[in-house]
Amino acid sequence: MTVKLSLATLPDLPAKVARPTYDRASLKAGIVHFGVGNFHRSHQAIYLDELFNTGLGHDWAIVGAGVFEGEKAGQAKLAGQDWLTSVVEQDSGHMSARVTSVMVDFLTPGDAAAVIERLADPAIRIVSLTITEGGYFIDPASGIFNPTHPDIVADAQNVAAPRTVFGIILAGLRRRRQDGVVPFTVMSCDNIPHNGRVTADAVIGLARLADETFADWIRDNVAFPNSMVDRITPATTDRERGILASDFGVEDSWPVFCEPFKQWVMEDHFTDGRPALEKVGVQFVHDVAPFELMKIRILNGGHATIAYPAGLMDIHFVHEAMENPLVRAFLAKLEREEIMPTVPPVPGVVLEEYCQLIERRFSNPKIGDTVRRLCLDGSNRQPKFIIPTISDRLKAGAGISGLALESALWCRYCFGVTDSGAIIEPNDPSWDRLQRTAQAAKNAPATWLAMEDIYGDVGKSAAFAAAFGDSLDMLWQLGTQETLTRYLGDRL
C-alpha cells in the first residue's frame, strides 16, 4: 500500500519518511521563486525546510512562479499534492526520504499580471531564480548581457506586458518604487560565474532600454548577492517514482532524488533582510568568487569532461562513466594537470581533497544521474565551465592538450552519432546549428572554433586550434576509446 502525498495524508506517511515539524498554516510567503524545478526543490527548499523545522523563519515561505508554458505541467503536479515534495537522498550506503512543505503557492506560469501583483506585496523580500545557465540573455563568449535579444527588445518596448523573467521583475520593482515599498533582493541560484552580477546586468540592462532613471534607481537600491550552489540532482523519471513507492510507500507525482551532499556559499548582501540560513549550514562570506570559481571549474568542468566521451561510448549513467577506467583517468588527468592549476587558493579548502570529493560524488551508484543530462546545453555551459579555463592556460603559456580534447569531444558529440552509430537526439537549444557546424568541422576543424559567440578569442589561438584539430581528427580516425588511451599515455 502507498500513501498519496497531500497535506491531509501527512500523518499517514510511513514512519521512516521524515515530515515537517512545523504547521504549514503558520507559514507566510517571503520569497517568490522563478524556476521551480528539481534543483530548487533539492537545494534552496531543503535549507528552508531545515530552518523552518527549528521553529525559525516561518515568514520566508516560497511562492513558485514561472514564465514558460511548459512549467504548467510541474505546477499541476504540485497543486495535486498541496505543493508538497518528497526528497530522497541516496548514495551507496545511505537512503532517506523526507517531505518538504516550504511552498505555499505556485502562481500560474505565464500569468505575468498575477506574478507582478505578488512581487508588489511588501511581504515578498526576496526573488530567487533557478532559470538555467541559458536563461540570462548573456553573450556566451563574453558573459555580457545581450540587449538585442528579441525577447529583451520586446519587453523594453512593452513594459506593461513583459514576457521574460527580468521584465516581470522590473515591473514588480516599478510597482514597489511607486508605492514607496522597500525593493526586494534578487538572488540567483544558478551555476553561472558571478551570478549576482550577471543577474544585475540583465535586470539593469533591460531597465536602461526603457528608463535610464529607473535603471539607476535599481543599481543604487537593489541587492544582487553572488552565490555558489551545489547538489547533484537528476531529472525525475518513472524510475524515481517507482523507488519512492516501493521503498518508502509514498505516491508522489514529482519527487526529487539527489545526493546527500549539498553546499551553498553566499554573499551577505540583502535589501530587506533574509532567513537565518547560517543556522542550517549556509556559509555567508564577503567574497564568493574563490568558492564559485573552484566549483565551476572543478565540478562543472569535470562534468563536461566525462560527459562527451561517455556519451560517444553509449554510457547511460554518470556512475557508469566513472566505472569506465578511461573516462575516470581522463577526468583525473585533466583536472590535475590543466584545470586545478587555474584555481586560486580557496579559504579553508584543500583543492586536492575537493577534487577527490568530486570524484566520489560522480561515482555515486544510487543517484541515477544520466550522461545525457551532463551533455545538455553545451552551447551555454562550455563558455562558462571550460573555455575560460582554456583562456587562462593560453595566457599563461601552459599546455591545453586535454582541454582541446574535451572541446573536440563536444564537437564530435554534436555531430549527432555515437561511435557505435547510434543517433544522438537533439540535446541543446542550438542543436541544429551545432550539428551543421560539427559536420562541417569533420573535414575543416577550424569551422567549429569560428563560432565566436562561444569561443571568443580562444578560437583564434593558433596553439589551441592546432591541438583541437589534432584531437578531432584522431577522434574520427580512431574513435573515442583509442583517443583517450593515447591522451592518457601522453601520445596525443
Side-chain angles (χ1 to χ4, degrees):
M1 289 288 293
T2 60
V3 177
K4 183 173 174 56
L5 188 61
S6 71
L7 283 173
T9 61
L10 276 178
D12 304 325
L13 294 178
K16 62 182 176 179
V17 178
R19 67 212 72 186
T21 61
Y22 51 90
D23 179 2
R24 232 275 286 281
S26 72
L27 303 183
K28 296 180 181 178
I31 300 171
V32 169
H33 182 81
F34 287 90
V36 181
N38 281 19
F39 179 76
H40 162 71
R41 294 182 297 137
S42 78
H43 192 265
Q44 180 184 347
I46 287 290
Y47 280 106
L48 286 170
D49 184 62
E50 291 175 351
L51 181 65
F52 295 174
N53 277 332
T54 71
L56 299 175
H58 288 191
D59 56 342
W60 290 103
I62 292 171
V63 173
V67 298
F68 300 113
E69 188 74 19
E71 293 175 278
K72 289 182 178 178
Q75 184 216 26
K77 290 176 181 177
L78 293 177
Q81 52 199 49
D82 301 318
W83 317 125
L84 300 175
T85 290
S86 305
V87 180
V88 178
E89 298 178 3
Q90 58 179 171
D91 61 19
S92 56
H94 167 83
M95 189 173 182
S96 63
R98 67 195 290 180
V99 172
T100 66
S101 186
V102 300
M103 180 179 287
V104 296
D105 195 6
F106 191 160
L107 305 173
T108 302
D111 187 350
V115 179
I116 293 166
E117 191 65 31
R118 186 60 70 98
L119 294 182
D121 181 352
I124 300 302
R125 286 156 288 161
I126 293 175
V127 172
S128 54
L129 310 168
T130 47
I131 55 175
T132 77
E133 296 87 355
Y136 287 80
F137 300 98
I138 57 178
D139 174 71
S142 67
I144 297 173
F145 173 66
N146 176 16
T148 65
H149 190 284
D151 289 347
I152 293 297
V153 172
D155 272 8
Q157 294 174 345
N158 189 7
V159 295
R163 64 189 192 191
T164 71
V165 62
F166 301 113
I168 292 172
I169 287 172
L170 280 182
L173 288 171
R174 186 177 291 106
R175 279 281 303 276
R176 293 173 82 105
R177 185 187 184 205
Q178 291 169 351
D179 297 344
V181 176
V182 176
F184 45 72
T185 295
V186 183
M187 182 177 74
S188 171
C189 300
D190 278 301
N191 282 315
I192 296 177
H194 314 296
N195 58 9
R197 177 186 59 76
V198 168
T199 306
D201 287 348
V203 173
I204 297 170
L206 174 56
R208 289 208 184 283
L209 298 177
D211 185 340
E212 285 277 358
T213 301
F214 183 41
D216 290 340
W217 179 86
I218 295 171
R219 179 198 63 201
D220 297 338
N221 292 279
V222 179
F224 297 87
N226 287 305
S227 68
M228 183 268 267
V229 297
D230 191 6
R231 190 171 218 182
I232 295 173
T233 310
T236 302
T237 67
D238 287 341
R239 170 185 179 272
E240 286 71 36
R241 281 182 278 268
I243 292 172
L244 181 65
S246 62
D247 289 20
F248 293 98
V250 179
E251 182 183 339
D252 184 332
S253 296
W254 195 17
V256 174
F257 278 55
C258 56
E259 62 174 339
F261 178 89
K262 66 181 187 299
Q263 187 176 19
W264 196 358
V265 183
M266 187 160 36
E267 289 176 349
D268 200 354
H269 177 48
F270 291 79
T271 308
D272 190 21
R274 62 167 176 81
L277 293 167
E278 70 277 6
K279 296 185 180 298
V280 289
V282 175
Q283 186 176 359
F284 286 96
V285 298
H286 175 69
D287 184 10
V288 174
F291 299 89
E292 179 184 70
L293 187 67
M294 172 186 72
K295 189 260 180 176
I296 284 174
R297 294 204 174 179
I298 297 177
L299 186 144
N300 297 113
H303 265 158
T305 298
I306 65 175
Y308 299 109
L312 288 169
M313 291 191 290
D314 302 296
I315 298 172
H316 183 70
F317 286 114
V318 175
H319 71 271
E320 294 173 336
M322 292 298 288
E323 291 168 357
N324 180 290
L326 290 175
V327 175
R328 190 180 188 99
F330 179 43
L331 173 68
K333 181 178 173 69
L334 180 53
E335 289 274 26
R336 289 168 177 81
E337 293 186 359
E338 298 182 28
I339 295 176
M340 287 172 60
T342 71
V343 179
V346 181
V349 178
V350 177
L351 289 184
E352 174 58 30
E353 293 178 357
Y354 181 79
C355 191
Q356 291 175 16
L357 169 65
I358 296 305
E359 291 172 340
R360 292 195 298 272
R361 292 170 63 196
F362 288 0
S363 302
N364 184 343
K366 295 290 187 179
I367 195 63
D369 202 8
T370 65
V371 168
R372 180 172 172 81
R373 185 186 77 86
L374 301 195
C375 293
L376 173 69
D377 202 13
S379 62
N380 278 299
R381 293 179 174 181
Q382 289 280 313
K384 298 174 180 68
F385 303 154
I386 292 292
I387 294 171
T389 306
I390 300 171
S391 178
D392 284 355
R393 295 285 291 179
L394 290 171
K395 289 174 184 175
I400 40 79
S401 61
L403 290 162
L405 174 55
E406 190 282 336
S407 205
L409 285 159
W410 176 44
C411 174
R412 171 66 186 84
Y413 177 88
C414 291
F415 188 88
V417 179
T418 70
D419 284 355
S420 71
I423 299 296
I424 299 171
E425 297 297 331
N427 202 19
D428 193 288
S430 301
W431 185 258
D432 289 345
R433 174 205 181 190
L434 294 176
Q435 189 170 40
R436 287 195 306 271
T437 309
Q439 290 169 351
K442 181 178 181 180
N443 296 314
T447 306
W448 186 257
L449 303 183
M451 295 188 293
E452 289 192 27
D453 59 317
I454 292 176
Y455 281 95
D457 290 340
V458 164
K460 301 173 185 176
S461 163
F464 181 69
F468 171 85
D470 289 346
S471 291
L472 187 60
D473 287 345
M474 191 171 293
L475 285 168
W476 277 115
Q477 292 171 21
L478 304 176
T480 302
Q481 183 170 317
E482 179 60 24
T483 301
L484 290 179
T485 300
R486 294 198 178 196
Y487 167 74
L488 294 169
D490 295 318
R491 294 183 289 119
L492 190 61

